[in-house]
Amino acid sequence: MAASHDTPPQVLDRPLEVAPADWSNRDFYQIMTALVIPRPIGWISTLSAKGVPNVAPYSYFNLLGNDPFYCAFGSTGVKDSLANLREVPQFVANIVTLDVLEKMNFTATDFPRDEDEFKWAGLTAVPSQKVRPFRVGEAKAHLECEVVQIIDDNNTHITLGRIVHAHVDPSVWKEGRVDPRLLNPVCRLSGSAYATLGEVINVPRPEWKDVQGTKDKAAMPRAERR
C-alpha cells in the first residue's frame, strides 16, 4: 500500500498511512516518538575497560519480563554506553525523577569517551552492590544489570540486561511498596518535552467469574482515581 502522504502534512485531511521507508528517518521518528508516550527514561551508567565512568539517558527503555527480570534500552548509533558495554558487560539503570531532570539532560551531551560524565554533571558516583558501573547517587532508585545480549540491526543497537539487584530510597516507599507520587518519575514525550505523573488511576484486573456472561459494562470493575 502506498503512503497516503508523501511528506508530513501541516494539516491531516485524511487518515495517515505511512511505512518507515516512505518518509525520511527523522520524519518517521517524530511520529513514533509522539505516539509511544510517555516513555520511561533509562539513565544508563556504564564503565569503560580503563575505568572511566559514563552516564547517559535513553528514552528507548523499559522493563521486559519477570521470570527472570529483564530491562532493555535502545541506542541509535554506537555511543559511549554501547562501547563500554562491549568491554564491561554490566550497567545500572538509574531512575530519573523530577529533582534530577536538569542533570540528566546535561548528560545527554556528547562528551569525549575519556571524560568522566559524573564529574561534569556534578553527580555522585556511588559503588553498586553487584556490578562494576557506579550508581548515580542522586537517583532514588537503581536497577543493576548484567548484559545478556546486544542486538545490532543497522544503526539500532538494543541492549538486553538481566536485573541482578535493585535499590530503592526510603523517601519513595509507603505502605509496603514504591509510591509513584513520592518517586515522581520523569518520562519522555516527543521533541524536548518531558512530563511527570498526572492523575493516577487504579483499574482492578477483572476475573473470568466477574465477566462471564456479563454484557452490562456497568457491572465491570470500575477505575479508582487518586
Side-chain angles (χ1 to χ4, degrees):
M1 179 180 179
S4 59
H5 301 75
D6 294 333
T7 59
Q10 292 298 311
V11 177
L12 196 61
D13 57 348
R14 59 191 184 280
L16 179 67
E17 304 284 354
V18 62
D22 294 329
W23 287 359
S24 71
N25 182 274
R26 179 171 180 78
D27 287 338
F28 198 78
Y29 163 86
Q30 290 180 339
I31 290 183
M32 293 298 99
T33 55
L35 290 176
V36 184
I37 57 171
R39 298 189 307 282
I41 302 167
W43 202 9
I44 306 298
S45 51
T46 58
L47 194 69
S48 73
K50 295 181 179 180
V52 180
N54 179 275
V55 59
Y58 293 86
S59 63
Y60 294 144
F61 165 79
N62 219 318
L63 187 69
L64 302 173
N66 65 332
D67 186 22
F69 288 89
Y70 278 86
C71 71
F73 71 95
S75 172
T76 301
V78 179
K79 299 181 174 68
D80 292 344
S81 300
L82 188 64
N84 286 350
L85 289 172
R86 297 194 190 280
E87 297 177 354
V88 180
Q90 298 175 329
F91 65 92
V92 179
N94 305 276
I95 304 303
V96 178
T97 51
L98 185 60
D99 55 314
V100 293
L101 175 60
E102 290 187 6
K103 290 188 175 183
M104 179 278 296
N105 189 52
F106 184 80
T107 62
T109 304
D110 187 17
F111 289 91
R113 193 178 175 209
D114 59 351
E115 293 290 337
D116 182 343
E117 294 187 11
F118 279 83
K119 290 183 178 179
W120 275 102
L123 295 168
T124 306
V126 176
S128 297
Q129 291 292 315
K130 294 186 177 180
V131 298
R132 289 177 58 190
F134 296 99
R135 298 174 179 174
V136 173
E138 288 72 14
K140 296 178 181 177
H142 313 83
L143 304 177
E144 299 181 13
C145 305
E146 294 182 347
V147 174
V148 173
Q149 184 179 4
I150 297 176
I151 302 169
D152 301 302
D153 188 356
N154 197 22
N155 206 34
T156 292
H157 307 275
I158 300 172
T159 298
L160 183 63
R162 182 182 287 114
I163 299 170
V164 296
H165 190 80
H167 164 260
V168 178
D169 189 84
S171 65
V172 301
W173 194 264
K174 182 180 180 181
E175 298 178 353
R177 63 182 60 194
V178 174
D179 186 301
R181 291 205 177 279
L182 293 177
L183 183 64
N184 201 16
V186 174
C187 60
R188 184 72 184 273
L189 303 178
S190 60
S192 59
Y194 294 86
T196 56
L197 288 178
E199 185 177 21
V200 178
I201 302 174
N202 289 329
V203 182
R205 177 176 294 182
E207 299 291 340
W208 173 243
K209 62 182 177 61
D210 298 327
V211 300
Q212 189 176 15
T214 300
K215 294 183 179 180
D216 183 7
K217 292 183 178 180
M220 297 292 289
R222 296 185 178 182
E224 299 177 3
R225 299 178 183 270
R226 290 186 177 180

